[in-house]
Amino acid sequence: MADKISIPRGTYDILPDMSYKWQYVTRAFRDIAQIFDFREIVTPIFENADLFERSVGEVTDIVEKEMYKFSDKKGRVFALRPEGTAPVVRSFIENSLHKSGNIAKLFYSGPMFRYDRPQKGRYRQFYQYGVELIGSDHPYTDAEVIALADSFMKKLGLKGYRLEINSIGCSKCSPRYDESLKKYFGLYKAELCPDCLRRLDKNPKRLLDCKNNNCRKIAENAPSILDFLDNECRSAFEMVKEYLNLMNVEFVINPRIIRGLDYYNKTAFEIITDSLGAQNAILGGGRYNTLIKDLGGPDLPAIGFAGGFERLISLMQLEKLSFGPEPAPAVYLVVLGENTIPYALEICYNLRDKEITVEFDIEKNSLKAQMKAANRANAHYALIIGEEEMDKKKVTLKNMTAGTQESLNKEELLLRLNSPIDNR
Ligand code: AMP
């Protein structure tokens, strides 16, 4: 027997019994983004590796350890995208989207790739959804983006989550804070993990977000960024909170949120759950006012977020939320005898023309086997077509739930199935 080839580690297949759930959440995200008047943007799944090295930052896990980097046949170095913001910004700049003169409100969804240690809720290929709002520094836009994330959770019916917000300051307040962190963590050098030790000088904020238990304990008493904000950052943060209150978005303040990537400033936020164990982040985002300029574009401020569909779906399953009806055919054709196939197919295509879902299994021929299959498929109706029906130019329609059966001609059948109650 030939050797089996298995799926790469850290990836998974979305099988038919799950795919309708995926469709449900991806559609729900699209719907909510459109209600807020965000437009979809689709970028390639690989980009020049430089894009991520320059934007995400070289002293981050994503760039240091997790990028799927490869060279093509001409030696160009690419990376499978580890996140969605840098590609959207690259596209925004390259296509001069700022020329419209309007704020750009963009959303995306698709696979991302990180070479991390796989575990429950953490994959090497995972699916993110996200938005980017480019062209305003007004705190209202922070609140609008956060409200969109919150509306999405509410639309899905989720309850077990918490929205946490923070301000991580700007290039003026951040260095003072970094200095105080260096001083504080410097006192514990002997106890810090090797990653933290390495980052202490270059990126001390990252120490607040280390998962190592010891480092975490030390971080608990570290200075808070909120004591270091300058007047502008402080008053912007106050306004974000005020707008969120006006929009009825519940939140808590968590001064420990720093976000993993280099390009963030001012507002940072996360949606966290206590139900999914270690991988507790459902969504994260923040403001990035310098990234567009840093990548060679105009000097425009921006804010966005990204969330993972996997954890969202896990949480929905845990909370026993609905993903809409499982797909099932409205009509299952039960065709008795080869002779009747042309007549059955004519009816089948008439129904499909009217957007009625019809299933027909050419491999089965007995009445019993086909009725059993109709049942298993959860079909609403079995449409029985035998020689007698064909000769009389009729069909027998059996309602699988009620058990009732009627003999109808083609016109009657179409009318019957077009009534909204009966045609799922
Ligand atoms: P990040 O881009 O790291 O801020 O992540 C944003 C969101 O994407 C997280 O809150 C998770 O929901 C999701 N996410 C990030 N990395 C992974 C991963 N390796 N596997 C599954 N979901 C992930």
Side-chain angles (χ1 to χ4, degrees):
M1 216 164 51
D3 281 345
K4 276 193 227 148
I5 298 173
S6 51
I7 195 168
R9 188 163 135 76
T11 69
Y12 57 89
D13 300 312
I14 304 173
L15 300 176
D17 65 345
M18 273 300 285
S19 58
Y20 79 95
K21 298 186 177 183
W22 279 79
Q23 283 167 10
Y24 180 82
V25 288
T26 48
R27 203 176 310 125
F29 177 65
R30 229 162 252 268
D31 288 350
I32 199 78
Q34 275 161 5
I35 288 169
F36 280 72
D37 198 28
F38 281 65
R39 305 288 161 90
E40 185 164 23
I41 181 163
V42 181
T43 61
I45 59 167
F46 68 100
E47 297 270 357
N48 280 302
D50 282 355
L51 174 66
F52 303 107
E53 279 155 7
R54 273 175 56 193
S55 60
V56 175
E58 289 185 21
V59 196
T60 55
D61 283 347
I62 291 184
V63 168
E64 275 183 342
K65 308 184 206 157
E66 298 172 7
M67 272 223 293
Y68 275 95
K69 228 165 134 173
F70 62 96
S71 321
D72 73 358
K73 291 190 170 136
K74 291 241 166 95
R76 288 172 285 227
V77 184
F78 293 114
L80 295 182
R81 63 182 182 194
E83 59 100 41
T85 300
V88 168
V89 168
R90 194 262 317 131
S91 173
F92 176 88
I93 297 169
E94 206 163 354
N95 295 292
S96 302
L97 297 188
H98 64 284
K99 286 204 173 133
S100 78
N102 295 332
I103 293 175
K105 293 166 75 176
L106 307 166
F107 77 87
Y108 62 85
S109 69
M112 305 293 162
F113 306 84
R114 293 184 196 171
Y115 189 82
D116 201 352
R117 199 167 45 79
Q119 54 174 266
K120 197 176 175 320
R122 191 162 74 198
Y123 305 94
R124 289 185 171 167
Q125 172 170 335
F126 58 101
Y127 290 79
Q128 277 190 341
Y129 55 92
V131 310
E132 313 296 347
L133 184 154
I134 306 175
S136 174
D137 187 36
H138 197 291
Y140 170 77
T141 55
D142 302 46
E144 170 148 296
V145 164
I146 296 173
L148 194 166
D150 186 61
S151 296
F152 181 40
M153 303 295 134
K154 285 183 178 144
K155 188 181 163 84
L156 297 174
L158 287 165
K159 298 248 173 334
Y161 69 92
R162 187 167 69 245
L163 167 65
E164 299 187 346
I165 66 168
N166 189 25
S167 172
I168 54 173
C170 63
S171 58
K172 280 176 253 147
C173 18
S174 196
R176 286 197 302 132
Y177 182 49
D178 282 354
E179 279 317 305
S180 94
L181 286 178
K182 279 185 210 166
K183 224 189 234 158
Y184 173 79
F185 284 109
L187 301 173
Y188 299 93
K189 267 190 177 160
E191 297 163 59
L192 293 174
C193 75
D195 274 347
C196 283
L197 263 184
R198 202 162 37 83
R199 289 177 178 142
L200 183 56
D201 260 347
K202 271 194 169 168
N203 198 347
K205 288 196 201 75
R206 287 301 313 276
L207 275 66
L208 294 172
D209 167 70
C210 180
K211 299 278 180 277
N212 178 299
N213 273 342
N214 220 13
C215 303
R216 231 148 124 172
K217 256 191 217 123
I218 298 170
E220 270 170 24
N221 293 319
S224 161
I225 176 69
L226 296 176
D227 297 326
F228 289 80
L229 295 182
D230 64 11
N231 285 341
E232 198 213 317
C233 290
R234 180 168 299 122
S235 89
F237 192 45
E238 288 308 311
M239 281 172 78
V240 174
K241 291 189 273 180
E242 221 174 290
Y243 283 121
L244 287 175
N245 285 328
L246 281 173
M247 293 170 171
N248 285 326
V249 176
E250 276 179 48
F251 60 88
V252 291
I253 292 165
N254 177 0
R256 294 279 173 271
I257 296 178
I258 52 118
R259 308 287 305 131
L261 317 183
D262 273 3
Y263 52 63
Y264 286 107
N265 68 329
K266 286 189 170 168
T267 306
F269 58 98
E270 283 181 350
I271 291 183
I272 302 291
T273 178
D274 293 329
S275 317
L276 294 180
Q279 304 308 317
N280 63 352
I282 298 289
L283 173 152
R287 184 164 274 293
Y288 50 96
N289 284 355
T290 54
L291 178 63
I292 298 157
K293 194 165 162 235
D294 291 347
L295 288 177
D299 189 5
L300 287 172
I303 178 158
F305 69 70
F309 279 123
E310 292 81 2
R311 295 177 199 175
L312 197 66
I313 291 174
S314 298
L315 190 58
M316 285 179 72
Q317 284 176 325
L318 212 71
E319 295 192 10
K320 302 206 171 356
L321 297 176
S322 162
F323 292 90
E326 267 188 64
V331 171
Y332 200 103
L333 279 190
V334 175
V335 181
L336 305 170
E338 289 277 324
N339 289 345
T340 55
I341 288 178
Y343 177 60
L345 285 187
E346 187 191 321
I347 291 173
C348 173
Y349 282 93
N350 281 171
L351 295 180
R352 285 181 178 162
D353 270 351
K354 299 274 183 245
E355 298 187 349
I356 294 165
T357 319
V358 184
E359 172 64 311
F360 168 44
D361 184 347
I362 191 92
E363 292 291 339
K364 294 193 173 57
N365 39 39
S366 80
L367 174 68
K368 198 170 154 203
Q370 293 185 75
M371 287 307 287
K372 220 165 135 186
N375 226 337
R376 231 185 355 244
N378 217 4
H380 198 46
Y381 291 106
L383 189 64
I384 303 161
I385 299 176
E387 301 224 352
E388 200 185 320
E389 279 87 357
M390 181 173 71
D391 292 343
K392 291 188 185 154
K393 296 226 168 307
K394 292 213 159 183
V395 293
T396 301
L397 185 72
K398 178 171 180 175
N399 183 320
M400 300 293 285
T401 340
T404 49
Q405 202 162 294
E406 51 195 331
S407 174
L408 305 168
N409 67 28
K410 252 205 269 176
E411 289 70 36
E412 289 166 336
L413 175 69
L414 285 176
L415 273 176
R416 192 86 183 76
L417 295 180
N418 260 334
S419 76
I421 303 163
D422 286 330
N423 181 25
R424 283 191 297 180

